[in-house]
Amino acid sequence: MSDDGFLDRTLGAMDLVYNIARRLTPRREDAEDLVQETYLRALRAWNEGRRPDRPEPWLATICLNLGRSEYRRRVHRPLEVDIDAFDVAGPADQLESAVLADLDRRAVHASLWALPAEQRIAIALVDLAGLSTREAAHVMGTPKGTVLSRLHRGRRSLALMVESQVRERRP
Amino acid sequence: MTAHTHDPQNKAAAYVNGAMAGRTLGRFETHLLACEQCWREVQLEQEGRRVAETGRELAPAFLREQIRALVSVSASAAPRPSRSLPKLAAAAVLLVAVLLGVWLSRPTGPPEQPAQIAAATDAYRSGMTVSGPAQRLAPQLRGVGLELVTSGRIRLAGTPVDAFTYRAAGGSLLLLFVSQSAFPQANGAHPATSDMAAGWSARIDGLAVYCGSHPVNYLIVSADNAQVDQARAAVAHEPSTHT
């Protein structure tokens, strides 16, 4: 018995699923488990005749639902940061590209985890997984305007966090 | 744009995400030139998006192979407990497993196996969690009809070993474990040749198990006896095991 084309259609979206999973659970190992669980659930649905036109939003939905239910209970609630705690005075300087390039991925990951969950998920779906805002809205089960708002607040907080880090690095 | 409709955050969000069009877009772009607050919101969102995008990661290669193997196992005829069983079903399976364990461990039952051997057969039935890439190259067993599907570093009862999963054309799986240290001898094992130290085989709970120590310490587990025999001959002559 074969997988009936399941892997051919879905394996290309694995980086997308992995990036979402990494923002649903803080431990890398849990994210890997979540990716596997997502594929097993998807395979089951596939074998029951589900054949989505685009596998990316479909897998994202499964991953998000699993992450919200099973995995949320297992992990600590992330630290949520009040953006008012950052200095927002003055116009936003364009971040030097060298400094931005210097930011390692771990720092970005930590900054993402400092965001409220729904903002982090919106960013994961759109900026990291590459879904459109319409698809992200469908996956999150919210109006598109809500996704736009979450994206804006999340990105704004990220920018302010990085600004703050850049200021700290400056002599 | 009037003060009544001035909403820098939502306007910036719509603008940056391409949700504005036509005259609304034109009006907002004109407004941006004069409004420091809206300009700042747009800048912040664009910067935040750039920061977020630097956080993109590639899924580890071994995870891809694990998923291939999981799908392969799920799609094959071989029954395998799913990790995604609902809790109730999982509890029922656990209860059955415990009862089965109690039954199997009764005095007349099969002998209890050393922890590493038991972990190896458990890995065959229930899958395994890889903690990193394998330290050795995977032995190529295509010559005996076995395709590599996963490789990785795992712990067998606390001992780090390289684990390789192979699949035959018919879908059956074979696990190969390679270790720096010798594997313990299974209870009920028989010498593969006249010398037990050279290798042993055993039938453990329906699985064929073979352990060899040359050219490396290795353990093979499969439901198929003939497959194990073919694999052990191939491993013994495989260049990657001679490193």
Side-chain angles (χ1 to χ4, degrees):
Chain A
M1 182 176 160
S2 72
D3 65 45
D4 201 16
F6 172 76
L7 282 177
D8 287 343
R9 287 282 287 134
T10 61
L11 210 53
M14 198 174 121
D15 287 337
L16 171 152
V17 178
Y18 182 69
N19 274 286
I20 296 170
R22 286 282 282 145
R23 275 79 205 178
L24 291 173
T25 173
R27 282 169 21 99
R28 191 180 295 274
E29 296 81 3
D30 290 336
E32 290 161 4
D33 285 349
L34 180 52
V35 172
Q36 291 189 30
E37 188 68 36
T38 298
Y39 271 84
L40 283 176
R41 289 288 176 98
L43 176 65
R44 196 181 305 161
W46 184 272
N47 287 337
E48 289 168 3
R50 184 80 196 271
R51 298 288 194 275
D53 292 337
R54 243 169 69 75
E56 290 85 356
W58 179 56
L59 291 167
T61 304
I62 295 172
C63 183
L64 183 59
N65 289 340
L66 280 171
R68 279 176 164 163
S69 55
E70 184 175 349
Y71 285 85
R72 180 178 279 178
R73 288 193 291 272
R74 289 173 41 187
V75 300
H76 296 293
R77 185 175 172 76
L79 175 67
E80 294 189 354
V81 172
D82 180 0
I83 62 167
D84 292 338
F86 291 86
D87 177 13
V88 297
D93 293 332
Q94 190 75 14
L95 293 172
E96 298 94 328
S97 57
V99 175
L100 191 57
D102 191 42
L103 285 170
D104 69 11
R105 201 165 280 135
R106 192 176 299 180
V108 174
H109 184 68
S111 299
L112 280 165
W113 272 100
L115 297 176
E118 295 305 311
Q119 293 176 24
R120 186 176 65 251
I121 290 169
I123 285 176
L125 293 174
V126 176
D127 293 338
L128 300 173
L131 298 187
S132 69
T133 49
R134 183 191 296 269
E135 287 172 332
H138 182 71
V139 169
M140 295 182 82
T142 60
K144 185 177 165 185
T146 305
V147 171
L148 292 181
S149 173
R150 287 172 180 170
L151 275 175
H152 179 76
R153 282 182 279 137
R155 288 167 174 167
R156 187 179 194 277
S157 299
L158 277 181
L160 292 173
M161 284 182 216
V162 172
E163 268 187 39
S164 170
Q165 289 166 12
V166 169
R167 282 200 195 97
E168 284 170 10
R169 289 184 188 193
R170 280 177 179 154
Chain B
M1 186 171 289
T2 66
H4 182 67
T5 58
H6 197 220
D7 184 359
Q9 292 204 14
N10 281 332
K11 297 286 187 196
Y15 178 69
V16 172
N17 290 288
M20 275 185 184
R23 292 175 65 185
T24 308
L25 176 63
R27 275 203 304 269
F28 185 70
E29 286 185 332
T30 304
H31 172 75
L32 267 183
L33 296 174
C35 180
E36 184 63 39
Q37 206 179 349
C38 285
W39 179 245
R40 173 173 168 72
E41 289 299 330
V42 167
Q43 266 199 312
L44 279 174
E45 179 152 10
Q46 287 174 335
E47 290 300 337
R49 184 168 62 184
R50 284 176 57 202
V51 171
E53 286 172 350
T54 63
R56 275 188 190 158
E57 297 177 64
L58 292 176
F62 73 84
L63 186 57
R64 199 173 299 270
E65 294 309 314
Q66 272 186 344
I67 284 172
R68 280 189 188 280
L70 276 173
V71 169
S72 161
V73 169
S74 298
S76 72
R80 175 183 179 278
S82 166
R83 298 177 59 178
S84 58
L85 282 175
K87 283 198 178 322
L88 196 59
V93 169
L94 185 63
L95 180 63
V96 170
V98 168
L99 292 174
L100 189 63
V102 169
W103 183 79
L104 288 174
S105 64
R106 74 197 199 283
T108 54
E112 190 176 327
Q113 294 298 336
Q116 270 191 58
I117 304 301
T121 54
D122 283 350
Y124 185 89
R125 295 192 184 286
S126 306
M128 51 194 167
T129 303
V130 172
S131 60
Q135 292 186 350
R136 296 166 181 275
L137 289 175
Q140 287 298 334
L141 304 182
R142 281 189 184 143
V144 293
L146 291 167
E147 200 71 37
L148 180 72
V149 285
T150 68
S151 68
R153 194 79 173 157
I154 69 161
R155 285 188 169 272
L156 269 188
T159 303
V161 301
D162 285 342
F164 306 101
T165 307
Y166 297 86
R167 186 179 63 225
S172 61
L173 293 178
L174 179 140
L175 297 193
L176 168 64
F177 303 98
V178 181
S179 175
Q180 296 278 12
S181 52
F183 289 97
Q185 186 179 309
N187 286 316
H190 304 285
T193 62
S194 56
D195 180 8
M196 192 71 144
W200 52 259
S201 60
R203 194 78 188 168
I204 300 173
D205 198 16
L207 296 176
V209 179
Y210 177 81
C211 178
S213 57
H214 181 77
V216 290
N217 298 299
Y218 66 97
L219 190 72
I220 299 174
V221 181
S222 171
D224 186 336
N225 247 334
Q227 207 171 61
V228 170
D229 286 340
Q230 289 174 332
R232 71 182 243 211
V235 168
H237 296 98
E238 224 287 326
S240 67
T241 56
H242 290 259
T243 55

